[in-house]
Amino acid sequence: MSDILNKLVAVLEARKGADPESSYVAGLYAKGLDAILKKVGEEATETVIAAKEGNAEQIIHETADLWFHTLVLLVDQ
């Protein structure tokens, strides 16, 4: 599992130097910490809502989004 995370972190690090017009993650980095935090907050809220609704497929989707944006935050910081 750590190999997958290491590869993902390498991609996220590489996106720091990418054109914000060509990469979603580069766009987040370009917008700054507040934009990244906003996405983490949105995904956390969507995860909670999915869990409250009991929709397993949506819980998985939203949790994956939350994890991804949290990794973006960690790499940014």
Side-chain angles (χ1 to χ4, degrees), residues 31-47:
K31 291 176 186 172
L33 181 59
D34 285 348
I36 295 168
L37 293 173
K38 182 178 177 184
K39 283 305 294 181
V40 171
E42 287 173 6
E43 299 305 340
T45 300
E46 291 170 0
T47 300

Side-chain angles (χ1 to χ4, degrees), residues 4-6 10 12 15-16 19 21 23 27 41 43 50 53 66 68 71:
I4 293 169
L5 288 176
N6 287 333
L12 293 175
R15 293 297 189 267
K16 285 182 175 181
D19 177 8
E21 297 294 321
S23 165
E43 299 305 340
E53 292 174 354
L66 175 58
F68 176 78
L71 286 172

Side-chain angles (χ1 to χ4, degrees), residues 20 23-33 35-36 39 68-69 72 76:
S23 165
Y24 170 75
V25 173
L28 278 177
Y29 289 139
K31 291 176 186 172
L33 181 59
I36 295 168
K39 283 305 294 181
F68 176 78
H69 287 92
V72 170
D76 179 67

